[in-house]
Amino acid sequence: MQDILLLMQDPAAWIALITLVVMEVVLGIDNLIFISILTNKLPPEHRDRARKIGIGLALIMRLGLLFAIAWIVKLDSDLFTIAGMGFSGKDLILIAGGIFLVWKATKEIHHSVDVQDHKEDLVGAGKNVVKMTFGAAIGQILVLDLVFSIDSIITAVGMTPHVPIMFIAVITAVTVMLVAATPLANFIEKNPTIVMLALAFLLMIGGTLIVEGFGVHVPKGYIYAAMAFSAGVEALNMFSRRKRERERAANGGVTPTQH
């Protein structure tokens, strides 16, 4: 308790906390996009519960990993070397998680392009397609929760040595995820074109995890700048589509160019 009171009086600790909260929220966006896409494939009555379970599992994993910080730190130590390149536990987890994410995103993109070639339901794919089971969705969320949680905690360990700050940052970030989960999922469901963009984000994130597992550091700023630019372009497209729809409605279903 005395240590916490001392930290509260340290301006540097507050700066570290604010910075880490922002970083954890940003890292949580990847996790949240994946959860939103998967849970939207469930029947409507199960989606909210699945999102809460998925985010709850993310919180449990992150807090559990914080209690095992000594083990987390050791994940950066090389386990073996191939062709002069060392691979640590963290590297193997990032590579495995990245491959899973690339596989899943590629599969979903294929299904979105050719919905007649599969039996799984996708956002906006139609009512006659079999929906993903609740257990399958939770299982896939669990796998990615683990990968993103380890990445999140390693980031926290690298930014501050104070465990209380890590706990506060992680809990705050997951709370933001919980609040944003339903609005984000609803937004994705109402705007089917966003699904392809979100899957492209996941594909890029998966590729980034793989190359980082092989020791190539990719600055996160470049990744999120690209995501922000793409999201901005899509926002302009959405605005343009809605404007055309309003004009069509005002002209009795006929666009101005058709007069």
Side-chain angles (χ1 to χ4, degrees), residues 22 25-26 37 55 57 74 81 113 131 140 179 189 196 201 215:
V22 172
V25 169
V26 171
I37 290 176
I55 296 171
L57 289 171
K74 290 180 181 177
T81 302
V113 173
K131 289 184 178 294
Q140 293 186 38
V179 172
E189 185 179 22
M196 187 62 71
F201 287 166

Side-chain angles (χ1 to χ4, degrees), residues 171-190:
I171 293 172
T172 302
V174 175
T175 301
V176 171
M177 288 173 61
L178 187 60
V179 172
T182 299
L184 177 62
N186 291 339
F187 179 75
I188 288 175
E189 185 179 22
K190 291 177 182 177

Side-chain angles (χ1 to χ4, degrees), residues 22 27 34 44 60 63 77 84 92 101 163 201 241 246 256 258:
V22 172
L27 290 172
F34 184 82
I60 292 171
L63 294 180
S77 302
L92 297 180
L101 202 54
V163 176
F201 287 166
R241 283 195 299 270
R246 287 195 298 269
Q258 293 176 306

Side-chain angles (χ1 to χ4, degrees), residues 61-256:
M61 286 186 180
R62 282 164 169 77
L63 294 180
L65 291 172
L66 279 175
F67 282 113
I69 280 182
W71 175 73
I72 289 292
V73 172
K74 290 180 181 177
L75 285 177
D76 274 332
S77 302
D78 288 348
L79 298 176
F80 57 88
T81 302
I82 298 178
M85 180 181 294
F87 290 90
S88 65
K90 174 191 172 184
D91 294 333
L92 297 180
I93 292 171
L94 290 179
I95 292 171
I99 290 173
F100 174 80
L101 202 54
V102 168
W103 168 77
K104 185 64 181 175
T106 302
K107 181 181 177 184
E108 299 296 347
I109 289 173
H110 170 69
H111 287 173
S112 295
V113 173
D114 187 8
V115 297
Q116 300 299 325
D117 193 37
H118 66 95
K119 296 183 179 180
E120 293 183 31
D121 183 41
L122 293 157
V123 181
K127 296 182 180 178
N128 298 322
V129 190
V130 178
K131 289 184 178 294
M132 172 179 281
T133 65
F134 187 87
I138 295 300
Q140 293 186 38
I141 289 171
L142 184 63
V143 172
L144 263 296
D145 273 350
L146 177 60
V147 175
F148 286 126
S149 293
I150 289 177
D151 194 28
S152 169
I153 299 307
I154 289 177
T155 299
V157 170
M159 290 187 66
T160 178
H162 304 297
V163 176
I165 290 178
M166 297 181 200
F167 270 97
I168 294 172
V170 166
I171 293 172
T172 302
V174 175
T175 301
V176 171
M177 288 173 61
L178 187 60
V179 172
T182 299
L184 177 62
N186 291 339
F187 179 75
I188 288 175
E189 185 179 22
K190 291 177 182 177
N191 298 276
T193 56
I194 293 293
V195 176
M196 187 62 71
L197 183 62
L199 289 172
F201 287 166
L202 292 178
L203 195 61
M204 179 172 62
I205 293 164
T208 302
L209 292 177
I210 293 172
V211 298
E212 287 193 346
F214 280 96
V216 179
H217 175 65
V218 181
K220 291 294 192 295
Y222 293 141
I223 300 297
Y224 294 116
M227 291 172 66
F229 177 78
S230 301
V233 172
E234 181 59 27
L236 292 175
N237 286 331
M238 290 171 59
F239 176 78
S240 178
R241 283 195 299 270
R242 289 177 181 175
K243 182 179 178 182
R244 288 197 300 269
E245 289 172 1
R246 287 195 298 269
E247 291 176 347
R248 188 180 299 115
N251 289 278
V254 179
T255 58

